[in-house]
């Protein structure tokens, strides 16, 4: 038998519904309006007969007295290999104008994190094939990395290259989750991935900026549910890309305000920490597979003490900072080599050799950074012999950390390069030992392994 209630008030995305007998459970879905097209998630029980829900679709056309159907189950999204190469909304409905996906299994978007006893206890480095990341801010397999950068510095290109390398190097699956994306950004990303040939092993899920806050708040959970299927059932490594985690927090802030909760510090919702943890704690590695997440992070007003930034930081194992200055100088990927860092960069995890080389690279680049003002005013000839050698090393290292990407082959005319961590470390070591002191700096620009500089010179 159908279990129905009646709408008693509609205030924007907040809908109050009266039921005569039993109340629907928290987080269960109600459907209302013509053809039951308005979907509402139960958020609170107000009294013995009234529930308050947040609409995940626009509430136009809904009025007092409208009939509401209790579906008696939480939100479910399709899972399985049939999703690959397709684009979905928060509800798991495809939005790419292709035939409807015939999924055999649907799963609730809310689930418990993997128990600690089933999580992998060893920390492994997740190789990306991108030199600047693998040496100075290595990612953790099953960990979470933050990607910090403004508009136009290469965030999307870096994400598409990561997807390409995961598909080819790890035989993995990529899931892109757009939280509060502009439709223009989503459409451009779809075309770029299609042109780069990485779409067939990728699932894209979007909760766009024009959608109600409830939909933007739940799209991360939908994408994560799809990722968990590939990790747990297919036993594959999954790369989960989220753009932008700040908009998830912002959507939670809107939902909290609509529910009438008292705001916390700087107007954020009082449940900020627990809501973020609920999403982040599900991203982990098990003994059979891993979900490795890279999350674009917007920092409000560049204030890293902002509650949204500080809570996000506590979950991250690595931070990749993109620099507009490096992009303007033609160093791509425009990773800021000194600002980026990782908790994986320890002798016990990365290895003694990797740790030593990374520290020496960082020291060399820091000295060069400090000497730039003197070089600009007086010229490089005024420096001591040792400082001059350090500057030459640093300039060669900066160029060695550039790399042609597979996803940009058609723009720059150079075939892409995927470089292993060992090859990159060997190249850094040889540059630091002045093996390339006689070579022009340009010989190390936009190459893969360091041996290519010798081939070019020959």
């Amino acid at each position: 038998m159908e279990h129905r209630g009646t709408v008693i008030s509609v205030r924007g995305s907040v809908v109050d519904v009266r039921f005569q007998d039993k109340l629907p459970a928290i987080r269960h879905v109600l459907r209302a309006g013509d053809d039951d097209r308005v979907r509402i998630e139960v958020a609170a029980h107000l009294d013995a007969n009234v529930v308050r829900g947040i609409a995940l679709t626009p509430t136009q056309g809904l009025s007092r007295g409208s009939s509401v159907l209790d579906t008696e189950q939480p939100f479910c999204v399709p899972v399985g290999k049939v999703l690959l190469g397709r684009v979905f909304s928060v509800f798991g409905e495809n939005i790419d104008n292709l035939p409807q996906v015939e999924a055999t299994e649907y799963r609730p978007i809310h689930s418990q994190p993997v128990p600690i006893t089933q999580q992998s206890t060893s920390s492994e480095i997740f190789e990306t094939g991108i030199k600047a990341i693998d040496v100075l801010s290595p990612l953790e397999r099953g960990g979470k990395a933050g990607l910090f950068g403004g508009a136009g510095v290469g965030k999307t290109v870096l994400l598409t290259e990561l997807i390409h390398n995961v598909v080819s190097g790890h035989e993995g699956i990529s899931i892109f989750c757009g939280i509060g994306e502009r439709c223009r950004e989503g459409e451009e990303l779809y075309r770029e991935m299609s042109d780069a040939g990485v779409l067939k092993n990728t699932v894209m899920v979007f909760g766009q900026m024009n959608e109600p806050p409830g939909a933007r708040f739940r799209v991360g959970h939908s994408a994560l549910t799809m990722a968990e299927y590939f990790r747990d059932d297919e036993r594959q490594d999954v790369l989960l890309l989220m753009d932008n985690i700040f908009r998830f927090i912002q959507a939670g802030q809107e939902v909290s305000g609509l529910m009438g909760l008292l705001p916390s510090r700087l107007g954020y919702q009082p449940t900020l920490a627990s809501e973020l943890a609920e999403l982040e704690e599900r991203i982990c590695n098990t003994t059979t597979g891993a979900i490795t997440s890279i999350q674009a992070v917007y920092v409000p007003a560049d204030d890293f003490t902002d509650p949204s930034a500080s809570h996000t930081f506590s979950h991250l194992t690595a931070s990749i900072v993109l620099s507009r200055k490096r992009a303007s100088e033609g160093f791509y990927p425009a990773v800021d080599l000194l600002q980026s860092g990782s908790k994986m960069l320890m002798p016990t995890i990365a290895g003694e050799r990797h740790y030593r080389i990374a520290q020496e690279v960082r020291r060399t680049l820091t000295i060069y950074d400090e000497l730039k003002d003197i070089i600009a005013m007086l010229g490089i000839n005024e420096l001591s012999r040792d400082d001059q050698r350090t500057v030459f090393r640093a300039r060669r290292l900066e160029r060695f950390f550039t790399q042609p990407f597979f996803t940009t082959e058609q723009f720059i005319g150079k075939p892409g390069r995927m470089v292993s961590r060992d090859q990159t470390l060997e190249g850094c070591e040889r540059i630091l030992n002045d093996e390339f002191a006689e070579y022009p700096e340009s010989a190390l620009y936009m190459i893969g392994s360091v041996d290519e500089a010798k081939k070019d010179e020959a």
Side-chain angles (χ1 to χ4, degrees), residues 15 49 71 91 101 126 142 162 185 273 275 328 332 383 398 418:
V15 182
N49 296 103
T71 62
F91 308 112
V101 169
F126 180 85
L162 283 164
E185 293 172 335
E275 284 169 359
S328 66
Y332 289 104
L383 298 178
E398 279 190 334
M418 190 169 167

Side-chain angles (χ1 to χ4, degrees), residues 13 48 55 76 86 109 117 170 298 391 403 424 445:
S13 293
C76 295
R86 303 298 297 274
I109 63 170
T117 51
H170 295 264
Y298 168 71
V391 167
Q403 187 171 344
T424 310
Y445 180 70

Side-chain angles (χ1 to χ4, degrees), residues 127-419:
E127 282 198 31
T128 62
I130 297 169
K131 294 185 282 190
I133 294 175
D134 284 347
V135 170
L136 293 171
S137 53
L139 309 185
E140 180 186 10
R141 181 175 175 269
K144 297 169 272 282
L147 183 61
F148 303 86
V153 292
K155 263 205 313 277
T156 305
V157 174
L158 194 55
L159 291 182
T160 46
E161 184 70 7
L162 283 164
I163 288 172
H164 176 279
N165 291 0
V166 164
V167 169
S168 58
H170 295 264
E171 297 178 354
I173 299 296
S174 298
I175 295 184
F176 182 89
C177 173
I179 305 175
E181 283 271 288
R182 298 171 185 87
C183 60
R184 169 186 61 78
E185 293 172 335
E187 193 269 339
E188 282 173 7
L189 186 69
Y190 178 78
R191 274 191 293 110
E192 282 172 21
M193 285 187 173
S194 187
D195 293 344
V198 297
L199 196 60
K200 63 182 181 296
N201 283 302
T202 305
V203 182
M204 300 177 81
V205 189
F206 287 107
Q208 289 171 204
M209 202 174 253
N210 62 329
E211 292 185 37
R216 285 180 272 128
F217 191 47
R218 290 294 176 228
V219 70
H221 297 85
S222 297
L224 196 45
T225 303
M226 295 173 185
E228 284 171 339
Y229 167 83
F230 288 107
R231 179 192 66 191
D232 299 336
D233 293 39
E234 297 293 333
R235 303 193 166 200
Q236 286 179 297
D237 280 0
V238 184
L239 182 66
L240 176 64
L241 302 154
M242 287 190 174
D243 190 4
N244 186 310
I245 205 71
F246 172 75
R247 298 222 180 97
F248 165 76
I249 293 169
Q250 209 172 28
Q253 190 177 3
E254 289 179 52
V255 168
S256 172
L258 289 166
M259 290 295 295
L261 298 180
L262 281 173
S264 179
R265 192 158 68 93
L266 296 183
Y268 285 102
Q269 62 271 41
T271 50
L272 167 61
S274 56
E275 284 169 359
L276 187 62
E278 193 184 316
L279 183 74
E280 300 278 13
E281 288 300 301
R282 286 168 64 184
I283 302 170
C284 63
N285 57 345
T286 65
T287 49
T288 54
I291 299 175
T292 304
S293 171
I294 297 177
Q295 306 167 6
V297 183
Y298 168 71
V299 182
D302 289 337
D303 176 15
F304 285 89
T305 62
D306 188 89
S308 66
S310 58
H311 280 104
T312 307
F313 269 123
S314 62
H315 293 279
L316 302 179
T317 51
S319 53
I320 303 161
V321 181
L322 297 184
S323 154
R324 194 173 299 282
K325 187 171 180 292
R326 277 183 66 79
S328 66
E329 290 170 353
F331 294 137
Y332 289 104
V335 176
D336 190 317
L337 303 171
L338 292 174
Q339 294 290 321
S340 305
S342 169
K343 291 176 183 172
M344 294 291 99
L345 205 51
M346 295 191 287
T348 49
I349 298 171
E352 194 68 50
R353 178 170 175 256
H354 184 162
Y355 177 75
R356 179 177 48 77
I357 292 171
Q359 291 301 97
E360 187 59 29
V361 165
R362 192 156 283 179
R363 190 186 70 82
T364 305
L365 292 169
T366 304
I367 292 170
Y368 175 45
D369 203 48
E370 289 166 355
L371 293 172
K372 275 181 179 173
D373 287 345
I374 296 171
I375 296 167
M377 287 187 291
L378 303 174
I380 198 162
N381 293 328
E382 295 301 314
L383 298 178
S384 68
R385 208 61 174 277
D386 279 351
D387 282 349
Q388 282 187 30
R389 273 201 290 270
T390 302
V391 167
F392 292 142
R393 275 183 218 130
R395 288 176 65 85
R396 281 166 176 75
L397 282 169
E398 279 190 334
R399 280 150 185 79
F400 178 59
F401 281 122
T402 60
Q403 187 171 344
F405 280 175
F406 292 95
T407 50
T408 57
E409 280 179 10
Q410 65 265 44
F411 305 119
I412 62 173
K414 280 191 174 187
R417 292 281 186 275
M418 190 169 167
V419 189

